[in-house]
Amino acid sequence: MNSRKWVRMFLTTLLLGGVLTLISSFFIKQDAYARVFHPFQGLEFLGVLLFFAGLGFIFSVISQMGFFAYLTIHQFGLGFFRSLWMPIQVGLIGFALFDLVYFRYQSADGESFWGYFFTALVLFVIALLTAAQKAKETNRKAFIPALFFMVVVTTIEWVPALRTQGFDYVTLMIIPLVACNIYQLLLLHRLTGNRNSSAKKASTS
């Protein structure tokens, strides 16, 4: 992938993160907007918009750092572990999902177990659908690596928000993270031209 394509990927992912976080903030952080609407304060409102857009840019950069870090780790895993790399990834996927449910519930103070279970389930379903699409557009061997990226790497990227006490920033961060990760994962093979024959035929028909 040449520098022009990389810059395109970086900027579009950055924009996606900023826009999604800004839109999500209207629903998740209504209290922040209420303070500048009653009464309306133009400069403060602009400041709130810039704050959440900037936060989204940061989330996008975290997503991109995780994506390129995984590409490096994946190549290392293939070279070092060889055929064991696939089952290792499966094991780490299971551990990450278990961690999202059990360890978070253990550290919580009287919160419902099912809330953590539902969070992990939704992430896993989204990861499954994304990995299936990745495998469809490239090859079936891409399924486990894509699933690993969507579950394990997304969870690692999400850690700063998971350590906070408020539910609002946990939700505010996961939306752009998941969207940016899906976007990068499905865009990469389009930029590099690494698509399977059936996908190429479908795109040209």
Side-chain angles (χ1 to χ4, degrees):
M1 183 166 64
N2 58 39
S3 59
R4 182 178 61 83
K5 291 181 179 180
W6 182 87
V7 170
R8 171 193 167 188
M9 185 175 184
F10 173 79
L11 292 177
T12 53
T13 307
L14 193 71
L15 181 63
L16 178 64
V19 170
L20 282 180
T21 304
L22 184 59
I23 294 173
S24 301
S25 69
F26 283 102
F27 303 95
I28 299 171
K29 298 293 291 182
Q30 294 182 15
D31 56 329
Y33 291 98
R35 289 194 294 268
V36 298
F37 274 116
H38 304 289
F40 179 74
Q41 305 169 63
L43 289 177
E44 286 76 6
F45 176 65
L46 179 61
V48 172
L49 293 180
L50 291 175
F51 172 77
F52 285 115
L55 200 62
F57 294 151
I58 293 173
F59 295 157
S60 171
V61 170
I62 292 173
S63 168
Q64 296 188 63
M65 289 172 61
F67 182 65
F68 285 103
Y70 173 68
L71 292 178
T72 302
I73 293 170
H74 181 62
Q75 291 302 317
F76 173 80
L78 287 174
F80 187 80
F81 296 107
R82 299 183 184 277
S83 61
L84 292 176
W85 180 229
M86 284 295 183
I88 288 174
Q89 289 181 94
V90 173
L92 291 173
I93 290 169
F95 178 78
L97 291 171
F98 180 78
D99 187 27
L100 271 179
V101 179
Y102 183 75
F103 289 117
R104 288 185 66 208
Y105 173 69
Q106 289 294 314
S107 61
D109 186 16
E111 296 184 22
S112 172
F113 167 83
W114 294 107
Y116 297 112
F117 177 81
F118 180 73
T119 299
L121 179 63
V122 170
L123 178 60
F124 184 60
V125 170
I126 293 174
L128 279 176
L129 294 174
T130 305
Q133 184 64 28
K134 179 71 174 182
K136 180 181 178 181
E137 294 185 9
T138 55
N139 60 78
R140 61 183 182 181
K141 290 183 179 180
F143 181 82
I144 295 299
L147 188 64
F148 177 90
F149 171 70
M150 287 303 302
V151 174
V152 178
V153 178
T154 301
T155 301
I156 294 172
E157 295 167 347
W158 199 16
V159 165
L162 293 176
R163 289 180 173 175
T164 64
Q165 296 298 320
F167 176 77
D168 47 359
Y169 280 103
V170 171
T171 308
L172 195 64
M173 187 177 190
I174 192 59
I175 293 172
L177 274 184
V178 169
C180 289
N181 284 346
I182 292 173
Y183 176 73
Q184 292 176 99
L185 193 64
L186 298 182
L187 179 65
L188 182 64
H189 58 268
R190 291 179 169 88
L191 293 180
T192 59
N194 184 22
R195 304 177 66 181
N196 62 27
S197 56
S198 60
K200 290 178 180 177
K201 289 179 181 178
S203 64
T204 56
S205 60

CSV table of all heavy atoms in Angstrom, one decimal, residues 158-204:
chain,number,residue,atom,x,y,z
A,158,TRP,N,-10.3,-0.6,24.2
A,158,TRP,CA,-11.4,-0.1,25.0
A,158,TRP,C,-11.0,0.1,26.5
A,158,TRP,O,-11.8,0.6,27.2
A,158,TRP,CB,-12.5,-1.1,24.8
A,158,TRP,CG,-13.9,-0.6,25.2
A,158,TRP,CD1,-14.3,0.7,25.4
A,158,TRP,CD2,-15.1,-1.4,25.4
A,158,TRP,NE1,-15.6,0.7,25.7
A,158,TRP,CE2,-16.1,-0.5,25.7
A,158,TRP,CE3,-15.3,-2.8,25.3
A,158,TRP,CZ2,-17.4,-1.0,25.9
A,158,TRP,CZ3,-16.6,-3.2,25.6
A,158,TRP,CH2,-17.6,-2.4,25.9
A,159,VAL,N,-9.9,-0.5,26.9
A,159,VAL,CA,-9.5,-0.5,28.3
A,159,VAL,C,-9.6,0.8,29.0
A,159,VAL,O,-10.0,0.9,30.1
A,159,VAL,CB,-8.1,-1.2,28.4
A,159,VAL,CG1,-7.5,-0.9,29.8
A,159,VAL,CG2,-8.2,-2.7,28.2
A,160,PRO,N,-9.1,1.9,28.4
A,160,PRO,CA,-9.1,3.2,29.1
A,160,PRO,C,-10.5,3.6,29.5
A,160,PRO,O,-10.7,4.1,30.6
A,160,PRO,CB,-8.6,4.2,28.0
A,160,PRO,CG,-7.7,3.4,27.2
A,160,PRO,CD,-8.3,2.1,27.1
A,161,ALA,N,-11.5,3.4,28.7
A,161,ALA,CA,-12.9,3.7,29.1
A,161,ALA,C,-13.4,2.7,30.1
A,161,ALA,O,-14.2,3.0,31.0
A,161,ALA,CB,-13.8,3.7,27.8
A,162,LEU,N,-13.0,1.4,29.9
A,162,LEU,CA,-13.5,0.4,30.9
A,162,LEU,C,-13.1,0.6,32.3
A,162,LEU,O,-13.7,0.2,33.2
A,162,LEU,CB,-13.1,-1.0,30.4
A,162,LEU,CG,-13.7,-1.5,29.1
A,162,LEU,CD1,-13.1,-2.9,28.7
A,162,LEU,CD2,-15.2,-1.7,29.2
A,163,ARG,N,-12.0,1.3,32.4
A,163,ARG,CA,-11.4,1.6,33.8
A,163,ARG,C,-12.2,2.8,34.5
A,163,ARG,O,-12.0,3.0,35.6
A,163,ARG,CB,-9.9,1.9,33.7
A,163,ARG,CG,-9.1,0.7,33.4
A,163,ARG,CD,-7.6,1.0,33.3
A,163,ARG,NE,-6.8,-0.2,33.2
A,163,ARG,CZ,-5.5,-0.2,33.0
A,163,ARG,NH1,-4.8,1.0,33.0
A,163,ARG,NH2,-4.8,-1.3,32.9
A,164,THR,N,-13.0,3.5,33.7
A,164,THR,CA,-13.7,4.6,34.3
A,164,THR,C,-14.9,4.1,35.0
A,164,THR,O,-15.4,3.0,34.7
A,164,THR,CB,-14.1,5.7,33.2
A,164,THR,OG1,-15.0,5.0,32.3
A,164,THR,CG2,-12.9,6.2,32.5
A,165,GLN,N,-15.5,4.9,35.9
A,165,GLN,CA,-16.7,4.5,36.6
A,165,GLN,C,-18.0,4.8,35.8
A,165,GLN,O,-19.0,4.2,36.1
A,165,GLN,CB,-16.7,5.3,38.0
A,165,GLN,CG,-15.5,4.9,38.9
A,165,GLN,CD,-15.5,3.5,39.3
A,165,GLN,OE1,-16.6,2.9,39.5
A,165,GLN,NE2,-14.3,2.9,39.3
A,166,GLY,N,-17.9,5.8,34.9
A,166,GLY,CA,-19.2,6.1,34.2
A,166,GLY,C,-19.5,5.3,33.0
A,166,GLY,O,-18.6,4.9,32.3
A,167,PHE,N,-20.7,4.9,32.9
A,167,PHE,CA,-21.2,4.1,31.7
A,167,PHE,C,-21.1,4.9,30.4
A,167,PHE,O,-21.0,4.4,29.3
A,167,PHE,CB,-22.6,3.6,32.0
A,167,PHE,CG,-23.2,2.8,30.8
A,167,PHE,CD1,-22.8,1.5,30.6
A,167,PHE,CD2,-24.1,3.4,30.0
A,167,PHE,CE1,-23.3,0.8,29.5
A,167,PHE,CE2,-24.6,2.7,28.9
A,167,PHE,CZ,-24.3,1.4,28.7
A,168,ASP,N,-21.3,6.3,30.5
A,168,ASP,CA,-21.4,7.1,29.4
A,168,ASP,C,-20.1,7.1,28.5
A,168,ASP,O,-20.2,6.9,27.3
A,168,ASP,CB,-21.7,8.6,29.7
A,168,ASP,CG,-20.8,9.1,30.9
A,168,ASP,OD1,-20.0,8.3,31.3
A,168,ASP,OD2,-21.0,10.3,31.2
A,169,TYR,N,-18.9,7.2,29.1
A,169,TYR,CA,-17.7,7.2,28.3
A,169,TYR,C,-17.4,5.8,27.8
A,169,TYR,O,-16.7,5.6,26.8
A,169,TYR,CB,-16.6,7.8,29.1
A,169,TYR,CG,-16.6,9.3,29.1
A,169,TYR,CD1,-17.0,10.0,30.2
A,169,TYR,CD2,-16.2,10.0,27.9
A,169,TYR,CE1,-17.1,11.4,30.2
A,169,TYR,CE2,-16.2,11.4,27.9
A,169,TYR,CZ,-16.7,12.0,29.0
A,169,TYR,OH,-16.7,13.4,29.0
A,170,VAL,N,-17.8,4.7,28.5
A,170,VAL,CA,-17.7,3.4,28.0
A,170,VAL,C,-18.4,3.2,26.7
A,170,VAL,O,-17.9,2.7,25.7
A,170,VAL,CB,-18.2,2.4,29.1
A,170,VAL,CG1,-18.2,0.9,28.5
A,170,VAL,CG2,-17.3,2.4,30.3
A,171,THR,N,-19.7,3.7,26.6
A,171,THR,CA,-20.5,3.6,25.4
A,171,THR,C,-20.0,4.6,24.4
A,171,THR,O,-19.9,4.2,23.2
A,171,THR,CB,-21.9,4.0,25.8
A,171,THR,OG1,-22.4,3.2,26.9
A,171,THR,CG2,-22.8,3.7,24.6
A,172,LEU,N,-19.6,5.8,24.8
A,172,LEU,CA,-19.1,6.8,23.8
A,172,LEU,C,-17.9,6.3,23.1
A,172,LEU,O,-17.7,6.7,21.9
A,172,LEU,CB,-18.9,8.1,24.6
A,172,LEU,CG,-18.7,9.4,23.7
A,172,LEU,CD1,-20.0,9.7,23.0
A,172,LEU,CD2,-18.3,10.5,24.6
A,173,MET,N,-17.0,5.5,23.8
A,173,MET,CA,-15.8,5.1,23.1
A,173,MET,C,-16.0,3.9,22.2
A,173,MET,O,-15.4,3.8,21.2
A,173,MET,CB,-14.7,4.8,24.2
A,173,MET,CG,-13.3,4.5,23.6
A,173,MET,SD,-12.1,4.2,24.9
A,173,MET,CE,-10.6,4.2,23.9
A,174,ILE,N,-16.8,3.0,22.6
A,174,ILE,CA,-16.9,1.7,21.9
A,174,ILE,C,-17.6,1.9,20.5
A,174,ILE,O,-17.2,1.2,19.6
A,174,ILE,CB,-17.7,0.6,22.7
A,174,ILE,CG1,-17.6,-0.7,22.1
A,174,ILE,CG2,-19.2,1.0,22.9
A,174,ILE,CD1,-16.2,-1.2,22.0
A,175,ILE,N,-18.5,2.8,20.4
A,175,ILE,CA,-19.1,3.0,19.1
A,175,ILE,C,-18.1,3.4,18.0
A,175,ILE,O,-18.1,2.8,17.0
A,175,ILE,CB,-20.3,4.1,19.2
A,175,ILE,CG1,-21.4,3.5,20.1
A,175,ILE,CG2,-20.8,4.5,17.9
A,175,ILE,CD1,-22.4,4.6,20.5
A,176,PRO,N,-17.3,4.5,18.2
A,176,PRO,CA,-16.3,4.8,17.1
A,176,PRO,C,-15.2,3.7,17.0
A,176,PRO,O,-14.7,3.5,15.9
A,176,PRO,CB,-15.8,6.1,17.5
A,176,PRO,CG,-16.0,6.2,19.0
A,176,PRO,CD,-17.3,5.5,19.2
A,177,LEU,N,-14.9,3.1,18.1
A,177,LEU,CA,-13.8,2.1,18.0
A,177,LEU,C,-14.3,0.9,17.1
A,177,LEU,O,-13.5,0.5,16.2
A,177,LEU,CB,-13.5,1.5,19.4
A,177,LEU,CG,-12.5,2.3,20.3
A,177,LEU,CD1,-12.2,1.5,21.6
A,177,LEU,CD2,-11.2,2.5,19.5
A,178,VAL,N,-15.5,0.4,17.4
A,178,VAL,CA,-16.0,-0.7,16.6
A,178,VAL,C,-16.1,-0.3,15.1
A,178,VAL,O,-15.7,-1.0,14.2
A,178,VAL,CB,-17.3,-1.2,17.1
A,178,VAL,CG1,-18.0,-2.2,16.2
A,178,VAL,CG2,-17.1,-1.9,18.5
A,179,ALA,N,-16.7,0.9,14.9
A,179,ALA,CA,-16.9,1.3,13.5
A,179,ALA,C,-15.6,1.5,12.8
A,179,ALA,O,-15.5,1.1,11.6
A,179,ALA,CB,-17.7,2.6,13.5
A,180,CYS,N,-14.6,2.2,13.4
A,180,CYS,CA,-13.3,2.4,12.8
A,180,CYS,C,-12.6,1.1,12.5
A,180,CYS,O,-11.9,0.9,11.5
A,180,CYS,CB,-12.5,3.3,13.7
A,180,CYS,SG,-13.0,5.0,13.7
A,181,ASN,N,-12.7,0.1,13.5
A,181,ASN,CA,-12.0,-1.2,13.3
A,181,ASN,C,-12.7,-1.9,12.1
A,181,ASN,O,-12.0,-2.6,11.3
A,181,ASN,CB,-12.1,-2.0,14.6
A,181,ASN,CG,-11.1,-1.5,15.6
A,181,ASN,OD1,-10.2,-0.7,15.3
A,181,ASN,ND2,-11.3,-1.9,16.8
A,182,ILE,N,-14.0,-1.9,12.0
A,182,ILE,CA,-14.7,-2.6,10.9
A,182,ILE,C,-14.3,-1.9,9.6
A,182,ILE,O,-13.9,-2.6,8.6
A,182,ILE,CB,-16.2,-2.5,11.1
A,182,ILE,CG1,-16.7,-3.3,12.2
A,182,ILE,CG2,-16.9,-3.0,9.8
A,182,ILE,CD1,-18.1,-3.2,12.6
A,183,TYR,N,-14.3,-0.6,9.6
A,183,TYR,CA,-13.9,0.1,8.4
A,183,TYR,C,-12.5,-0.2,7.9
A,183,TYR,O,-12.3,-0.5,6.7
A,183,TYR,CB,-14.1,1.6,8.7
A,183,TYR,CG,-13.7,2.5,7.5
A,183,TYR,CD1,-14.5,2.6,6.4
A,183,TYR,CD2,-12.5,3.3,7.6
A,183,TYR,CE1,-14.1,3.5,5.3
A,183,TYR,CE2,-12.1,4.1,6.5
A,183,TYR,CZ,-12.9,4.2,5.4
A,183,TYR,OH,-12.5,5.0,4.3
A,184,GLN,N,-11.6,-0.2,8.8
A,184,GLN,CA,-10.2,-0.5,8.4
A,184,GLN,C,-10.0,-1.9,7.9
A,184,GLN,O,-9.3,-2.2,6.9
A,184,GLN,CB,-9.2,-0.2,9.6
A,184,GLN,CG,-9.1,1.2,10.0
A,184,GLN,CD,-8.3,1.4,11.2
A,184,GLN,OE1,-7.1,1.7,11.1
A,184,GLN,NE2,-8.8,1.2,12.4
A,185,LEU,N,-10.6,-2.8,8.6
A,185,LEU,CA,-10.5,-4.2,8.3
A,185,LEU,C,-11.1,-4.5,6.9
A,185,LEU,O,-10.5,-5.3,6.2
A,185,LEU,CB,-11.2,-5.1,9.4
A,185,LEU,CG,-11.0,-6.6,9.4
A,185,LEU,CD1,-9.5,-6.9,9.7
A,185,LEU,CD2,-11.9,-7.3,10.4
A,186,LEU,N,-12.2,-3.9,6.6
A,186,LEU,CA,-12.8,-4.2,5.3
A,186,LEU,C,-12.3,-3.3,4.2
A,186,LEU,O,-12.5,-3.6,3.0
A,186,LEU,CB,-14.3,-4.0,5.4
A,186,LEU,CG,-15.0,-5.0,6.4
A,186,LEU,CD1,-16.5,-4.8,6.3
A,186,LEU,CD2,-14.7,-6.4,6.0
A,187,LEU,N,-11.6,-2.2,4.5
A,187,LEU,CA,-11.0,-1.4,3.5
A,187,LEU,C,-9.6,-1.8,3.1
A,187,LEU,O,-9.2,-1.6,1.9
A,187,LEU,CB,-10.9,0.1,4.1
A,187,LEU,CG,-10.3,1.1,3.2
A,187,LEU,CD1,-11.1,1.4,1.9
A,187,LEU,CD2,-10.1,2.4,3.9
A,188,LEU,N,-8.9,-2.5,4.0
A,188,LEU,CA,-7.5,-2.8,3.7
A,188,LEU,C,-7.3,-3.6,2.4
A,188,LEU,O,-6.5,-3.3,1.5
A,188,LEU,CB,-6.8,-3.6,4.9
A,188,LEU,CG,-5.4,-3.9,4.7
A,188,LEU,CD1,-4.5,-2.7,4.6
A,188,LEU,CD2,-4.9,-4.8,5.8
A,189,HIS,N,-8.0,-4.7,2.2
A,189,HIS,CA,-7.9,-5.5,1.1
A,189,HIS,C,-8.4,-4.8,-0.2
A,189,HIS,O,-7.9,-5.2,-1.3
A,189,HIS,CB,-8.6,-6.9,1.2
A,189,HIS,CG,-10.0,-6.8,1.5
A,189,HIS,ND1,-10.6,-6.7,2.8
A,189,HIS,CD2,-11.1,-6.7,0.7
A,189,HIS,CE1,-11.9,-6.7,2.7
A,189,HIS,NE2,-12.2,-6.7,1.5
A,190,ARG,N,-9.2,-3.8,-0.1
A,190,ARG,CA,-9.7,-3.1,-1.2
A,190,ARG,C,-8.5,-2.1,-1.7
A,190,ARG,O,-8.3,-1.9,-2.9
A,190,ARG,CB,-10.9,-2.3,-0.9
A,190,ARG,CG,-12.2,-3.1,-0.7
A,190,ARG,CD,-13.4,-2.2,-0.3
A,190,ARG,NE,-14.6,-3.0,-0.3
A,190,ARG,CZ,-15.1,-3.7,0.7
A,190,ARG,NH1,-14.4,-3.7,1.8
A,190,ARG,NH2,-16.2,-4.3,0.6
A,191,LEU,N,-7.8,-1.6,-0.7
A,191,LEU,CA,-6.7,-0.7,-1.1
A,191,LEU,C,-5.5,-1.4,-1.6
A,191,LEU,O,-4.8,-0.9,-2.5
A,191,LEU,CB,-6.3,0.1,0.2
A,191,LEU,CG,-7.3,1.1,0.7
A,191,LEU,CD1,-6.8,1.9,1.9
A,191,LEU,CD2,-7.7,2.1,-0.4
A,192,THR,N,-5.3,-2.6,-1.1
A,192,THR,CA,-4.1,-3.4,-1.5
A,192,THR,C,-4.4,-4.3,-2.7
A,192,THR,O,-3.5,-4.9,-3.3
A,192,THR,CB,-3.6,-4.3,-0.4
A,192,THR,OG1,-4.7,-5.2,0.1
A,192,THR,CG2,-3.2,-3.5,0.8
A,193,GLY,N,-5.7,-4.4,-3.1
A,193,GLY,CA,-6.1,-5.3,-4.2
A,193,GLY,C,-6.1,-6.8,-3.9
A,193,GLY,O,-6.2,-7.6,-4.8
A,194,ASN,N,-6.1,-7.1,-2.6
A,194,ASN,CA,-6.0,-8.5,-2.2
A,194,ASN,C,-7.4,-9.1,-1.9
A,194,ASN,O,-7.9,-9.2,-0.8
A,194,ASN,CB,-5.2,-8.7,-0.9
A,194,ASN,CG,-5.0,-10.1,-0.5
A,194,ASN,OD1,-5.1,-11.0,-1.3
A,194,ASN,ND2,-4.7,-10.3,0.8
A,195,ARG,N,-8.1,-9.3,-3.0
A,195,ARG,CA,-9.5,-9.8,-2.9
A,195,ARG,C,-9.6,-11.1,-3.7
A,195,ARG,O,-8.9,-11.4,-4.6
A,195,ARG,CB,-10.5,-8.8,-3.5
A,195,ARG,CG,-10.4,-7.5,-2.8
A,195,ARG,CD,-11.4,-6.5,-3.5
A,195,ARG,NE,-12.8,-6.9,-3.2
A,195,ARG,CZ,-13.8,-6.1,-3.7
A,195,ARG,NH1,-13.6,-5.1,-4.4
A,195,ARG,NH2,-15.1,-6.5,-3.4
A,196,ASN,N,-10.5,-12.0,-3.2
A,196,ASN,CA,-10.7,-13.3,-3.9
A,196,ASN,C,-11.4,-13.1,-5.3
A,196,ASN,O,-12.0,-12.1,-5.5
A,196,ASN,CB,-11.4,-14.3,-3.0
A,196,ASN,CG,-12.8,-13.9,-2.7
A,196,ASN,OD1,-13.4,-13.2,-3.4
A,196,ASN,ND2,-13.3,-14.4,-1.5
A,197,SER,N,-11.4,-14.1,-6.1
A,197,SER,CA,-11.9,-14.0,-7.4
A,197,SER,C,-13.4,-13.8,-7.5
A,197,SER,O,-13.9,-13.0,-8.3
A,197,SER,CB,-11.6,-15.3,-8.2
A,197,SER,OG,-12.1,-16.4,-7.5
A,198,SER,N,-14.1,-14.4,-6.6
A,198,SER,CA,-15.6,-14.2,-6.5
A,198,SER,C,-16.0,-12.8,-6.1
A,198,SER,O,-16.9,-12.2,-6.7
A,198,SER,CB,-16.2,-15.2,-5.6
A,198,SER,OG,-15.8,-15.0,-4.3
A,199,ALA,N,-15.2,-12.2,-5.2
A,199,ALA,CA,-15.5,-10.8,-4.8
A,199,ALA,C,-15.2,-9.9,-5.9
A,199,ALA,O,-15.9,-8.9,-6.1
A,199,ALA,CB,-14.7,-10.5,-3.6
A,200,LYS,N,-14.1,-10.2,-6.7
A,200,LYS,CA,-13.7,-9.3,-7.8
A,200,LYS,C,-14.8,-9.3,-8.9
A,200,LYS,O,-15.1,-8.3,-9.5
A,200,LYS,CB,-12.4,-9.7,-8.4
A,200,LYS,CG,-11.2,-9.4,-7.4
A,200,LYS,CD,-9.9,-9.9,-8.0
A,200,LYS,CE,-8.7,-9.6,-7.1
A,200,LYS,NZ,-7.4,-10.2,-7.7
A,201,LYS,N,-15.3,-10.5,-9.1
A,201,LYS,CA,-16.4,-10.6,-10.1
A,201,LYS,C,-17.6,-9.9,-9.7
A,201,LYS,O,-18.3,-9.2,-10.5
A,201,LYS,CB,-16.7,-12.1,-10.4
A,201,LYS,CG,-15.6,-12.9,-11.1
A,201,LYS,CD,-16.0,-14.4,-11.3
A,201,LYS,CE,-14.9,-15.1,-12.0
A,201,LYS,NZ,-15.3,-16.6,-12.1
A,202,ALA,N,-18.0,-10.0,-8.4
A,202,ALA,CA,-19.2,-9.3,-7.9
A,202,ALA,C,-19.0,-7.8,-8.0
A,202,ALA,O,-20.0,-7.1,-8.3
A,202,ALA,CB,-19.4,-9.7,-6.5
A,203,SER,N,-17.8,-7.3,-7.8
A,203,SER,CA,-17.6,-5.9,-7.7
A,203,SER,C,-17.6,-5.3,-9.1
A,203,SER,O,-17.8,-4.1,-9.3
A,203,SER,CB,-16.3,-5.5,-7.0
A,203,SER,OG,-15.2,-6.1,-7.8
A,204,THR,N,-17.3,-6.1,-10.1
A,204,THR,CA,-17.3,-5.6,-11.5
A,204,THR,C,-18.5,-5.9,-12.3
A,204,THR,O,-18.7,-5.5,-13.4
A,204,THR,CB,-16.1,-6.3,-12.3
A,204,THR,OG1,-16.2,-7.7,-12.2
A,204,THR,CG2,-14.8,-5.8,-11.6
